[in-house]
């Protein structure tokens, strides 16, 4: 895939899109290990450190809920430090309450899936808006602070977002908070040239964030950042949304199926 033409970036100025997982079912499942309030107490100093590294740095926070996702915080808004923190926490509390009101606990098995595809799309839309604002702008990157398991039904939308980020030359970093790695975010970081990390000790989350994810893209070429040991490139079938090792692929639209079908359910092509 041919990348877009290079743009006139400022050298070490960053636009950091932070996607935080607010899935209440996930946080209830790991509350004894890391509570949501303690998680925020690590994230907020990290966001402040990004803004302190360069006065032109920008931070945008997007909440990834179980049923919805929304913009929570813009550092470009003219507010002092105290008002900024209060506004962020208030909007985040309102979003979590609204997202929980849409949940039906009896229909959720386990921690459930977060709407990662939606938050990635919102981050890319905001980055496109910045690209069109002028020839000189900060270098964008996306950081996913994610813990919920992968939602197989979001496979196509997430892969489309990953390839869009690759075309825009926007790295997707991922910090996994759950017990298992995310195959989607492993692929996202690998394809876009980002960093994928699963902290061994969640108690030291701020140290992981500040030492691995705080550096701008220009400085990364001089640092020895963690590299993925292995990436799960398995795809999810379009018929049952299950992760498969082998399957059938439509030669017209590249849809993937776990079993042979007479006709492609995506484009309608008839198979021999």
């Amino acid at each position: 895939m041919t990348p877009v033409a290079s743009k006139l970036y400022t050298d070490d100025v960053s636009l950091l899109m932070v996607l935080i997982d607010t899935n209440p079912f996930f946080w209830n499942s790991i509350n004894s290990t890391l509570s949501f309030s303690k998680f925020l107490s690590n994230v907020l100093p990290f966001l402040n450190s990004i803004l302190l590294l360069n006065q032109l740095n920008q931070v945008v926070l997007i909440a990834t809920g179980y049923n919805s996702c929304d913009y929570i915080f813009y550092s470009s808004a003219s507010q002092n430090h105290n008002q900024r923190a209060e506004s962020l926490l208030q909007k985040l509390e309102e979003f979590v309450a609204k997202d929980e009101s849409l949940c039906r606990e009896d229909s959720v098995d386990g921690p459930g899936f977060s709407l990662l595809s939606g938050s990635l799309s919102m981050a890319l839309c905001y980055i496109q808006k910045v690209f069109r604002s002028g020839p000189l702008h900060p270098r964008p990157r996306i950081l996913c602070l994610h813990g919920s398991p992968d939602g197989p039904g979001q496979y196509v939308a997430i892969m489309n977002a990953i390839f869009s980020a690759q075309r825009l030359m926007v790295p997707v970093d991922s910090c996994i908070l759950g017990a298992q790695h995310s195959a989607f975010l492993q692929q996202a970081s690998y394809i876009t040239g980002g960093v994928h990390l699963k902290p061994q000790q969640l108690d030291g989350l701020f140290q992981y964030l500040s030492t691995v994810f705080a550096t701008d893209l220009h400085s990364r070429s001089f640092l020895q950042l963690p590299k993925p040991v292995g990436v799960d490139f398995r795809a999810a079938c379009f018929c049952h949304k299950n992760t498969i090792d082998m399957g059938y692929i439509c030669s017209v639209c590249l849809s993937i199926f776990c079993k042979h079908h007479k006709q492609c359910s995506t484009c309608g092509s008839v198979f021999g």
Side-chain angles (χ1 to χ4, degrees), residues 188-237:
S189 298
Y190 181 85
I191 293 173
T192 61
V195 179
H196 179 84
L197 177 68
K198 186 180 184 302
Q200 297 179 355
Q201 299 292 335
L202 292 179
D203 291 340
L205 181 60
F206 173 73
Q207 283 76 10
Y208 287 102
L209 295 176
S210 59
T211 56
V212 178
F213 300 108
T215 52
D216 58 79
L217 298 181
H218 176 71
S219 302
R220 289 189 177 188
S221 58
F222 306 101
L223 300 174
Q224 194 73 20
L225 296 175
K227 295 182 179 180
V229 178
V231 181
D232 187 357
F233 286 107
R234 291 183 300 171
C237 66

Side-chain angles (χ1 to χ4, degrees), residues 3 23 29 61 74 82 85 91 94 103 117 161 171 181 186 254 263:
N23 183 352
S29 66
L61 186 65
Y74 304 86
N82 293 331
K91 290 184 178 179
E94 293 174 355
C103 296
S117 59
H181 281 279
Q186 278 184 328
L254 302 181
Q263 186 177 14

Side-chain angles (χ1 to χ4, degrees), residues 70-87:
D70 197 6
Y71 297 103
I72 299 298
F73 170 71
Y74 304 86
S75 62
S76 56
S78 57
Q79 293 177 327
N80 59 41
H81 175 75
N82 293 331
Q83 291 178 339
R84 181 185 302 163
E86 291 178 0
S87 176

Side-chain angles (χ1 to χ4, degrees), residues 8 12 16 27 30-31 42 49 75 92 113 156-157 168 171 195 200 208-209 214 229 231 235 262 265 267:
L8 297 176
D12 59 346
L16 180 61
W27 287 109
I30 67 163
N31 187 58
N42 286 271
S49 65
S75 62
L92 187 59
F113 311 121
V156 177
L168 294 173
V195 179
Q200 297 179 355
Y208 287 102
L209 295 176
V229 178
V231 181
K262 295 182 179 179
S265 60
C267 65

